[in-house]
C-alpha cells in the first residue's frame, strides 16, 4: 500500500512544476504517517516539509511558547480539543477551505466551531482494547460497557492515560461527563481508579501494553487497537454500549508563521482524497474527513456504534478542560487503592 501510494505520487511529480520553499509542520499523528506525507509532498511539489513530531498537548504548549515569534506553519493531527483551544487563544489563522463541502459534517462542524481556525481531518471513536489471550486464560468475558470496567476481575488490569498529558484520556472524561452528568461521572472515575494499574503519559501506551500482555484492558481510541491487531497482536476492541465520544483529529494553520502561503497549499493538499490516504498506508485506521476517500473495512463505521452528541465547542474550551483535569487530579488521581 505504501509503495503504491508513493509510486503514484512520484509519477505525478514527473509532470509537476517544482516549487521552491518550505513548510514547517508540527505533526501529532503516528511518525510513519507524518513521514509519508512529508516525503510525498516534497517529491510532488518541490516544497521541503520540515516535520516536528509532538503530542497534541505538547504541540499547543509549543505554539503558546512561540506566540511572539512563530516558527511553525501547520499543525497536523492530534485530538481536536487542543486545536479549538489554539483557535480560542488566537494562535491559528482563520481560513475557509473551498473543499469544506466535500468533508463529513463532523469535520465541517469542527471548522465552524473554531470560526474556521481549524478543520477536522479524521474521526476516531473512543472505546476499549483488550488482550484476547489473557481474557481466555482467565475465562473472562470481553468488556462491552463502561460498567464492565468496574468488575472486580479487572482489578489492577486496566490502563488509561493521564488526561493532563493525553487527549485520549481527556476525551474519556468529557465523554463520561456528557453521558452521565458530572457527579456520576466522577463517582465512576473514582470507582474505576481501583482497577487502574497505571495512568500513562501517552494515549497509545495502554493499548501497546495490552497488546504485549502487560495489562488486560485499555481505554483507547479503537483505531489504535486495530493498528495493534494488524501488526499481529492478539487484541480486540469494543465501543461501550451506553454510548461513547470520538476525537475529531484536526489541522490548523499557525497565525503569523514564516511560510503562510506554503502552509495554505499544504493544508489544501492534506484535505484532498489523495492527501488523506497516508494514515491507512501507515496502518492507522481513523475515518478520513473527505467523503471521497475509499473506506477501508477495518475502519470503525460510526453509523454502527452509539456515539453521543459530543459538545466539542464546550469541552474544547481551555477553561473547561483545565477545570475538569484539575478536578480529576484532585479527586481521582491520588486516591488510595
Amino acid at each position: 500500500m505504501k509503495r503504491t501510494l508513493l509510486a503514484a505520487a512520484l509519477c505525478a511529480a514527473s509532470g509537476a512544476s517544482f516549487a521552491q520553499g518550505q513548510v514547517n509542520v508540527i505533526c501529532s499523528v503516528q511518525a510513519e504517517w507524518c513521514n509519508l506525507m512529508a516525503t510525498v509532498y516534497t517529491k510532488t511539489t518541490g516544497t521541503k516539509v520540515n516535520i516536528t513530531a509532538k503530542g497534541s498537548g505538547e504541540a499547543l504548549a509549543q505554539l503558546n511558547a512561540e506566540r511572539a515569534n512563530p516558527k511553525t506553519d501547520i499543525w497536523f493531527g492530534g485530538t481536536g480539543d487542543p486545536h479549538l483551544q489554539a483557535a480560542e487563544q488566537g494562535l491559528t489563522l482563520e481560513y475557509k477551505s473551498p473543499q469544506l463541502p466535500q468533508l463529513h459534517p463532523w469535520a465541517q462542524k469542527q471548522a465552524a466551531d473554531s470560526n474556521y481556525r481549524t478543520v477536522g481531518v479524521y474521526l476516531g471513536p473512543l472505546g476499549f482494547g483488550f488482550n484476547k489471550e489473557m481474557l481466555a486464560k482467565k475465562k473472562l468475558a470481553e468488556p462491552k460497557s463502561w460498567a464492565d470496567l468496574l468488575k472486580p476481575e479487572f482489578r489492577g488490569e486496566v490502563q488509561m492515560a493521564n488526561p493532563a498529558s493525553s487527549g485520549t484520556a481527556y476525551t474519556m472524561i468529557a465523554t463520561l461527563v456528557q453521558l452521565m452528568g458530572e457527579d456520576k461521572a466522577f463517582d465512576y472515575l473514582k470507582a474505576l481508579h481501583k482497577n487502574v494499574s497505571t495512568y500513562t503519559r501517552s494515549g497509545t501506551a495502554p493499548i501497546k501494553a495490552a497488546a504485549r500482555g502487560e495489562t488486560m484492558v485499555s481505554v483507547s481510541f479503537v483505531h489504535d487497537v486495530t493498528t495493534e491487531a494488524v501488526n499481529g497482536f492478539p487484541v480486540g476492541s469494543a465501543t461501550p454500549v451506553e454510548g461513547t465520544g470520538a476525537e475529531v483529529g484536526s489541522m490548523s494553520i499557525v497565525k503569523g508563521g514564516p511560510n503562510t502561503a506554503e502552509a495554505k497549499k499544504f493544508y489544501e493538499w492534506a484535505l484532498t482524497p489523495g492527501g488523506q490516504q497516508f494514515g491507512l498506508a501507515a496502518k492507522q485506521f481513523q475515518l478520513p474527513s473527505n467523503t471521497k476517500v475509499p473506506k477501508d473495512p477495518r475502519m470503525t463505521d460510526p453509523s454502527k456504534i452509539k456515539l453521543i452528541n459530543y459538545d466539542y465547542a464546550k469541552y474544547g474550551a481551555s477553561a473547561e478542560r483545565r477545570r475538569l483535569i484539575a478536578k480529576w487530579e484532585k479527586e481521582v488521581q491520588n486516591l488510595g487503592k
Side-chain angles (χ1 to χ4, degrees):
M1 178 67 174
K2 283 184 290 184
R3 287 183 180 177
T4 304
L5 284 172
L6 195 54
L10 294 180
C11 286
S14 62
S17 59
F18 272 69
Q20 299 298 315
Q22 62 180 351
V23 61
N24 301 325
V25 180
I26 291 179
C27 195
S28 297
V29 294
Q30 193 250 12
E32 191 173 6
W33 184 349
C34 300
N35 293 334
L36 276 171
M37 289 183 71
T39 299
V40 172
Y41 190 77
T42 297
K43 294 287 187 182
T44 55
T45 67
T47 300
K48 184 180 179 185
V49 181
N50 302 309
I51 291 281
T52 301
K54 285 187 182 291
S56 52
E58 292 175 314
L60 179 59
Q62 179 172 329
L63 295 191
N64 265 306
E66 294 178 359
R67 178 189 285 270
N69 183 25
K71 297 177 176 60
T72 303
D73 300 302
I74 286 272
W75 175 15
F76 180 86
T79 49
D81 292 343
H83 283 268
L84 291 173
Q85 290 155 36
E88 175 195 341
Q89 294 163 26
L91 297 170
T92 49
L93 185 70
E94 182 179 337
Y95 179 72
K96 198 168 184 177
S97 169
Q99 296 185 80
L100 278 173
Q102 294 181 25
L103 307 185
H104 284 287
W106 46 263
Q108 295 186 45
K109 187 175 187 301
Q110 183 79 344
D113 284 347
S114 68
N115 292 318
Y116 301 96
R117 293 174 183 268
T118 193
V119 68
V121 287
Y122 58 79
L123 184 77
L126 183 69
F128 317 132
F130 43 81
N131 186 298
K132 295 190 283 188
E133 291 179 352
M134 293 176 74
L135 288 173
K137 188 176 179 180
K138 294 195 175 185
K139 296 182 171 61
L140 298 178
E142 298 172 355
K144 290 182 167 54
S145 67
W146 292 112
D148 284 347
L149 297 195
L150 303 183
K151 290 179 176 178
E153 53 262 41
F154 292 133
R155 190 175 184 92
E157 291 290 355
V158 178
Q159 281 194 21
M160 62 173 281
N162 186 318
S165 59
S166 163
T168 309
Y170 177 71
T171 300
M172 174 192 177
I173 291 175
T175 293
L176 292 171
V177 168
Q178 292 169 83
L179 185 65
M180 303 176 178
E182 189 167 322
D183 290 344
K184 288 185 178 178
F186 274 85
D187 288 343
Y188 174 86
L189 289 164
K190 290 171 193 174
L192 179 63
H193 179 77
K194 296 171 186 173
N195 285 0
V196 174
S197 60
T198 187
Y199 296 104
T200 63
R201 177 176 174 79
S202 155
T204 57
I207 185 55
K208 290 182 183 297
R212 289 151 184 80
E214 297 161 12
T215 192
M216 202 178 295
V217 181
S218 71
V219 178
S220 305
F221 290 122
V222 291
H223 53 257
D224 291 326
V225 186
T226 305
T227 297
E228 298 300 324
V230 166
N231 285 331
F233 292 99
V235 291
S237 68
T239 52
V241 295
E242 303 98 328
T244 193
E247 68 164 339
V248 176
S250 298
M251 175 173 60
S252 306
I253 300 173
V254 178
K255 188 176 182 180
N259 306 290
T260 299
E262 292 301 337
K264 289 178 180 177
K265 292 175 186 175
F266 182 93
Y267 183 104
E268 287 298 334
W269 173 81
L271 290 178
T272 64
Q276 292 203 346
Q277 293 183 59
F278 298 101
L280 185 59
K283 297 182 182 177
Q284 302 294 299
F285 297 94
Q286 295 95 322
L287 179 69
S289 63
N290 193 306
T291 58
K292 296 182 180 180
V293 179
K295 188 175 182 301
D296 187 279
R298 293 167 293 182
M299 293 176 179
T300 301
D301 184 347
S303 69
K304 295 181 179 177
I305 64 178
K306 189 174 180 181
L307 281 174
I308 66 168
N309 186 20
Y310 193 108
D311 189 338
Y312 292 98
K314 177 178 178 178
Y315 291 94
S318 302
E320 185 67 357
R321 182 178 184 276
R322 280 196 303 268
R323 185 184 73 80
L324 287 174
I325 291 172
K327 184 170 182 174
W328 179 84
E329 289 174 333
K330 181 181 178 183
E331 296 188 10
V332 180
Q333 185 177 17
N334 296 316
L335 278 175
K337 301 280 188 178

